[in-house]
Amino acid sequence: MRMWLALVVGTVAVLAVGLAVLVSTRRPSLEREWDEDVRVLAGVRISADGLVDLTRIRDWSYSRDSVLSKTYFDASLDPRDIVDVWMYEQKLDRVGLIAHTFIVFEFDESYGPARYLGLSVETRRQLGEEYSLIGGMMRAFEVTHIWATERDLVRRRVEYLDYPLTRYRLIIPEEFRPQIFLKFVEETADLAVTPRWYNTALNNCTSSLIRYVNESQPGAIPVHYSYVFTGKTDDYLQRLGYLEPASAVSITQGFLESNDLR
């Protein structure tokens, strides 16, 4: 019995070491056969005066069972024109521990289709791949930035994929909004030339966004278990005073059928 147990333990240990070596030797890439929704990377140019040219902003449209159009556009943006910042949360489990979050920057009305501009930090999946928590820990996916209109990001999830969302207004001092936005676009530019792995625990949709905020305002959001259990991010930000609970709006298919997004 002891010999059998020792054999099992030894085999498991060898397999674990082999898997760890295999994972550690994998290298992220920009050259794979990507799923279409994460195939096109946004382009970034930041001028000396802080203005941002953002190209290939996704603005797809959807129905309940299909993608109706697949368009992109470019925009010139002045981060000083950001008037508000919003967070969307998409719960991914029944108990509310895991969620996908993304940010929407609201510019003034003169920005037209780019007025509500979203950033979603996502896994860059290959054709036919599906996201998994385990894969996210094992270097199965590169991380990517999807810059898209609010309409695209919301309707893709709610209308096309049938995931309800909750929208919150973030309470961010006006002077920090441009800094945070610039940190985001700088990282987008870097990822376009230096690919990195997504990591479920250390480099996920929420922890990445928090890291960019802390780089703009050191210590603004202290380390917390919601970095990993991302479904608790809204509670944590509310306790810190960065989230306005009264602003919460639940967005479902029924909501979109009877209301404008804004």
Side-chain angles (χ1 to χ4, degrees):
M1 180 68 176
R2 290 181 179 178
M3 290 182 60
W4 178 85
L5 182 60
L7 179 62
V8 171
V9 171
T11 301
V12 170
V14 169
L15 291 174
V17 170
L19 181 61
V21 170
L22 179 63
V23 169
S24 67
T25 57
R26 294 198 69 207
R27 294 292 178 264
S29 174
L30 293 171
E31 304 297 330
R32 304 193 196 278
E33 193 173 0
W34 306 109
D35 256 354
E36 191 173 11
D37 65 302
V38 292
R39 186 177 303 162
V40 177
L41 298 178
V44 175
R45 187 176 70 84
I46 305 173
S47 64
D49 57 1
L51 301 182
V52 175
D53 289 329
L54 197 60
T55 63
R56 301 186 291 277
I57 299 167
R58 200 180 72 192
D59 188 28
W60 291 12
S61 61
Y62 308 89
S63 68
R64 287 198 175 192
D65 56 8
S66 64
V67 179
L68 300 177
S69 67
K70 301 174 182 179
T71 60
Y72 297 84
F73 68 96
D74 304 338
S76 295
L77 307 157
D78 187 339
R80 293 165 294 191
D81 290 337
I82 296 170
V83 298
D84 235 327
V85 185
W86 304 82
M87 184 184 83
Y88 280 87
E89 184 178 67
Q90 171 192 344
K91 299 289 188 183
L92 297 175
D93 68 332
R94 292 184 179 180
V95 296
L97 283 179
I98 306 298
H100 177 69
T101 58
F102 61 90
I103 298 294
V104 170
F105 294 94
E106 179 183 349
F107 290 82
D108 65 48
E109 293 182 2
S110 66
Y111 280 81
R115 181 182 181 186
Y116 295 103
L117 184 62
L119 169 62
S120 181
V121 179
E122 301 188 10
T123 56
R124 200 176 190 200
R125 307 170 318 283
Q126 297 181 67
L127 276 176
E129 272 189 325
E130 292 186 5
Y131 173 74
S132 71
L133 292 174
I134 300 282
M137 295 290 290
M138 305 296 289
R139 295 188 173 184
F141 313 105
E142 283 82 358
V143 65
T144 192
H145 281 188
I146 301 298
W147 286 95
T149 60
E150 179 184 53
R151 178 183 63 181
D152 174 312
L153 292 172
V154 171
R155 288 191 173 274
R156 178 176 183 82
R157 284 164 175 79
V158 175
E159 191 168 27
Y160 181 53
L161 300 175
D162 197 21
Y163 282 111
L165 296 172
T166 304
R167 182 179 69 206
Y168 301 96
R169 178 177 176 271
L170 295 179
I171 304 169
I172 299 175
E174 184 178 349
E175 63 270 24
F176 290 116
R177 295 170 191 162
Q179 297 177 37
I180 293 169
F181 180 81
L182 285 170
K183 284 292 183 183
F184 287 5
V185 295
E186 287 168 358
E187 179 77 357
T188 300
D190 193 39
L191 285 173
V193 295
T194 308
R196 299 194 188 101
W197 293 116
Y198 178 92
N199 186 285
T200 302
L202 303 176
N203 190 26
N204 59 50
C205 59
T206 303
S207 63
S208 297
L209 296 173
I210 290 173
R211 174 165 55 85
Y212 307 147
V213 171
N214 283 336
E215 288 175 358
S216 304
Q217 189 181 0
I221 306 177
V223 174
H224 186 256
Y225 66 81
S226 61
Y227 282 32
V228 177
F229 296 109
T230 50
K232 298 301 181 181
T233 303
D234 53 347
D235 296 334
Y236 183 47
L237 293 180
Q238 181 178 333
R239 291 204 303 273
L240 292 175
Y242 296 130
L243 185 147
E244 186 179 288
S247 68
V249 176
S250 178
I251 299 178
T252 62
Q253 288 194 1
F255 176 94
L256 292 178
E257 288 171 359
S258 57
N259 298 274
D260 291 332
L261 196 52
R262 293 285 180 175

